[in-house]
Every structure is written in structure tokens, then in C-alpha cells.
């Protein structure tokens, strides 16, 4: 197996008058390095490079379409040229792009995945979600060569410029993971536990306080998810994002129903229609939220083990919660039956 590379550089040129060239700064590595046009994944023309296992480099051309793993798409006029390979722990990819429609100052994105090298020449190979991202712009007017030959082998034709490439604020990208963890805790632990505190303890203040904390946590997770979706061009383009937004917006009604339920219960000393609306409305939203968490794991290309683990926990939580709800309903019906069947509670008094 080929030794894992520690960094990567990439260069690109195309024969439009005048021809241009740029090279990226070394990046931490990795088992795969995608970089592409534009400021986000959606709609980006992506060039993915990784080791082929024999000291050379594989170039995989792909089209970005949101946060899903981009799939291989053959593109004519894009190829690796001489000078590419792996040397001294660095991947070097010199790429020729014949019909690149880029000019002026162009925005680019890049990403990387730490781990063992992929060691394959298959351009359609799958790879896991990236660990970090970066963005940069290239002023192509500052990156010129005087001919159409490979500028990486003919250094005399190249006019270097320190102003050609400007980096963005890249680094380790954990926003998606943070969003997932927070939302999983909120919907698998926070809301379900809070909902059973009332029948278990009979203290509405404890129940309300717990649910408010979970409610605030939900919106924190939503905000982090919004940042992750904007970064990857997924905002309101993926079912997980749309459904998650709907769930969070609908959850705003739940505290209002809870307050109305509390006021009615204090007044009538029993559950009313508002009470059952509050209970079942909340249960329904929790279930949808748990399901949407699974959809989010698929969107993030999570491992099969993580998806299975989340599904098992989600099913167990839902089953336990459903069993508790059924038990509570049975107990309520039994109490009502006992009250109605007790002569001392009858409005009619039989006289001898």
C-alpha cells in the first residue's frame, strides 16, 4: 500500500488567450482532495484528486449538487498532465482544462478528508464526508503564461505573482456535526424526558423549565444547521432542511398550548381539549423530528453504523414513549371509571 501523503498542491491551466495558471498552497492530507469552482458545492465543477496506490494521482471530475457526495461525471477537455504524482509526502496534480470558462477573479472552494489514502485509479470511487474546508479566489489576470505548453514543466514561460491567489477562512468544518449532535440530544433525550416529567413528578414548573431548555437548544441547533446549509448551498434545497425548518417553526406553538393547558387545568382541575391538543401535538412533532434526524444522517453521508445506531435509539425512545402514553391513557380511563362507579361521588343520593 502506498504511504499516505501529508500535503497536496494543485495547479490548473487552460489555453484561452492569454493562458492562465495557478497553484494552491499545500493542504493537510488526506485520502481525497476535492476543489471546485464557485463559492459553494451546489453547481460547482469539482476536481477531486487522490492517490492511485502506485505513486501517481487519480483525477475525478464531478458536479456538485448540494451537500450530497458528488458523483463522477466525465468531462472532456480536463486531464492530468506531466508533472503530477506523489513525491516526498506531497500529492501534486497538474490539470489541463481546455474549455474552462473562467476569467477575471474566480472563486474556488476546496476540502479534505484525513485518513488512509484511497489507493485507486477508479475515478468513480466513493469517499466519506470531508473533515475541513477552505475557500480562495484567483485573480487570473495576475496568473499568466506566455504559451500554451505545460507551464509546470516550462518554468521560463511562467510569470509568478504573489497576488494571484488569496485564501479564505478555511479550516476544520464541524458545523454539520455540531448541528447533528445538538438536535439528536434535543429530540432523542430532551423533549421525551421533559414530556414524562409532568406525569411522573406532577410538578408543572419542572416540566416547563426542562422543555424550555430543550426548546432553546433546538433553536441553537437550528442556527448552526443554517450556517452549515448556507455553506454547502443546501438551504431549502434538501428535504432534511425543509422538514427540519417546518418542525422547528411548528414547535413554536407548543409552549403556547402548554400555557393554555396549565391555565385550564388550574381552573377546571382536569384535562380539557387544549390539554390533549398540547400532548398529542407535541408527540407528533417529536416523532417527525426524530425521523428527520435519520434523513439528516443520510444527507451527511454518515457511516452505516451511525445510521443504524441512531435508528435503534430512535425506535427504542419512540416505543418507550408510546408505551408510557398508552399506560397513562389506561390509568386515566380507569380513574374516571372508578369515580363514576363510586356511589359517594354520585350526584344522586338514594334514599330508603
Amino acid at each position: 500500500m502506498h504511504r499516505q501523503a501529508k500535503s497536496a498542491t494543485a495547479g490548473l491551466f487552460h489555453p484561452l488567450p492569454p493562458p492562465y495558471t495557478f497553484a494552491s498552497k499545500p493542504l493537510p492530507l488526506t485520502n481525497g482532495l476535492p476543489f471546485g469552482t464557485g463559492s459553494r458545492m451546489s453547481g460547482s465543477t469539482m476536481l477531486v484528486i487522490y492517490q492511485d496506490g502506485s505513486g501517481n494521482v487519480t483525477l475525478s471530475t464531478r458536479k456538485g449538487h448540494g451537500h450530497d457526495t458528488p458523483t463522477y461525471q466525465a468531462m472532456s477537455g480536463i486531464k492530468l498532465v506531466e508533472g503530477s504524482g506523489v513525491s516526498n509526502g506531497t500529492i501534486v496534480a497538474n490539470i489541463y482544462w481546455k474549455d474552462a470558462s473562467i476569467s477575471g477573479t474566480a472563486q474556488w472552494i476546496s476540502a479534505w478528508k484525513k485518513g488512509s489514502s484511497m489507493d485507486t485509479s477508479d475515478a468513480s470511487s466513493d469517499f466519506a464526508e470531508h473533515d475541513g474546508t477552505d475557500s480562495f479566489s484567483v485573480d487570473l489576470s495576475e496568473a499568466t503564461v506566455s504559451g500554451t505548453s505545460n507551464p509546470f514543466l516550462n518554468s521560463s514561460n511562467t510569470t509568478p505573482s504573489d497576488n494571484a491567489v488569496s485564501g479564505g477562512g478555511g479550516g476544520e468544518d464541524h458545523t454539520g456535526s455540531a448541528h447533528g449532535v445538538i438536535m439528536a440530544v434535543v429530540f432523542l433525550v430532551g423533549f421525551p424526558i421533559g414530556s414524562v416529567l409532568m406525569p411522573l413528578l406532577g410538578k408543572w414548573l419542572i416540566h416547563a423549565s426542562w422543555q424550555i431548555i430543550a426548546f432553546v437548544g433546538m433553536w441553537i441547533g437550528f442556527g448552526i444547521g443554517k450556517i452549515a446549509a448556507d455553506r454547502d448551498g443546501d438551504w431549502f434545497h434538501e428535504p432534511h432542511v425543509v422538514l427540519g425548518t417546518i418542525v422547528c417553526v411548528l414547535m413554536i406553538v407548543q409552549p403556547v398550548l402548554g400555557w393554555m393547558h396549565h391555565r385550564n387545568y388550574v381552573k377546571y382541575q382536569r384535562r380539557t381539549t387544549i390539554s390533549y391538543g398540547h400532548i398529542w401535538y407535541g408527540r407528533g412533532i417529536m416523532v417527525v423530528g426524530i425521523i428527520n434526524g435519520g434523513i439528516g444522517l443520510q444527507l451527511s453521508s454518515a457511516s452505516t453504523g451511525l445510521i443504524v445506531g441512531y435508528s435503534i435509539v430512535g425506535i427504542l425512545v419512540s416505543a418507550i414513549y408510546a408505551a408510557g402514553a398508552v399506560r397513562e391513557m389506561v390509568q386515566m380511563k380507569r380513574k374516571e371509571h372508578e369515580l363514576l362507579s363510586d356511589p359517594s361521588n354520585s350526584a344522586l343520593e338514594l334514599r330508603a
Side-chain angles (χ1 to χ4, degrees):
M1 180 177 290
H2 194 274
R3 184 168 60 90
Q4 179 187 352
K6 297 180 180 178
S7 63
T9 63
L12 177 145
F13 73 99
H14 63 98
L16 296 178
Y20 305 110
T21 176
F22 75 87
S24 74
K25 60 185 179 182
L27 297 172
L29 219 66
T30 146
N31 67 357
L33 170 66
F35 67 101
T37 59
S39 59
R40 57 184 57 186
M41 284 181 62
S42 182
S44 174
T45 298
M46 308 192 74
L47 311 174
V48 184
I49 59 174
Y50 42 86
Q51 299 179 74
D52 69 353
S54 60
N56 294 317
V57 177
T58 299
L59 170 64
S60 176
T61 52
R62 308 190 179 213
K63 200 70 177 178
H65 46 82
H67 198 61
D68 294 332
T69 302
T71 54
Y72 172 67
Q73 180 177 330
M75 300 180 188
S76 61
I78 302 179
K79 62 180 181 180
L80 286 171
V81 295
E82 191 176 354
S84 302
V86 182
S87 177
N88 297 323
T90 298
I91 292 179
V92 177
N94 297 331
I95 302 169
Y96 172 85
W97 191 344
K98 181 179 180 181
D99 300 315
S101 56
I102 49 179
S103 60
T105 300
Q107 297 295 321
W108 288 79
I109 56 174
S110 64
W112 56 88
K113 175 67 178 178
K114 295 180 180 179
S116 302
S117 60
M118 294 178 65
D119 289 342
T120 178
S121 59
D122 183 3
S124 60
S125 294
D126 293 329
F127 51 87
E129 184 183 8
H130 51 69
D131 291 323
T133 62
D134 199 359
S135 61
F136 56 94
S137 61
V138 182
D139 184 357
L140 297 175
S141 65
E142 297 286 345
T144 63
V145 294
S146 58
T148 59
S149 59
N150 186 342
F152 306 109
L153 298 180
N154 298 278
S155 57
S156 60
N157 292 336
T158 304
T159 304
S161 172
D162 294 334
N163 301 320
V165 179
S166 58
E172 298 295 313
D173 181 10
H174 299 298
T175 52
S177 299
H179 162 75
V181 170
I182 292 174
M183 287 308 215
V185 171
V186 166
F187 281 93
L188 288 179
V189 180
F191 284 137
I193 289 180
S195 65
V196 300
L197 286 177
M198 187 63 199
L200 286 178
L201 303 179
K203 304 292 184 180
W204 74 269
L205 188 58
I206 296 177
H207 162 74
S209 300
W210 181 283
Q211 295 297 61
I212 288 174
I213 293 173
F215 183 78
V216 172
M218 179 194 73
W219 283 108
I220 293 174
F222 177 85
I224 296 175
K226 176 67 165 61
I227 294 172
D230 284 341
R231 180 172 297 172
D232 296 317
D234 291 339
W235 182 244
F236 249 69
H237 294 295
E238 296 289 345
H240 170 72
V241 178
V242 175
L243 185 57
T245 302
I246 293 173
V247 167
C248 290
V249 171
L250 291 178
M251 191 62 81
I252 296 175
V253 180
Q254 187 65 350
V256 178
L257 291 176
W259 175 247
M260 294 173 66
H261 154 66
H262 173 69
R263 290 185 61 184
N264 281 3
Y265 194 88
V266 171
K267 182 177 181 179
Y268 300 109
Q269 292 299 303
R270 61 180 177 83
R271 288 180 176 177
T272 62
T273 302
I274 291 294
S275 303
Y276 292 107
H278 170 65
I279 293 170
W280 287 103
Y281 182 82
R283 289 170 179 171
I285 295 179
M286 279 194 296
V287 171
V288 176
I290 292 173
I291 294 173
N292 195 46
I295 298 175
L297 287 176
Q298 291 181 324
L299 174 63
S300 65
S301 301
S303 65
T304 302
L306 184 58
I307 294 176
V308 171
Y310 178 89
S311 300
I312 292 175
V313 174
I315 292 173
L316 286 176
V317 169
S318 299
I320 293 172
Y321 188 78
V326 171
R327 180 174 178 272
E328 182 184 357
M329 290 177 60
V330 171
Q331 289 179 336
M332 290 292 294
K333 291 293 184 181
R334 184 177 299 168
K335 287 181 179 180
E336 291 178 0
H337 178 72
E338 290 175 353
L339 288 173
L340 292 175
S341 60
D342 188 350
S344 63
N345 293 319
S346 175
L348 298 177
E349 181 178 355
L350 297 178
R351 298 180 182 274

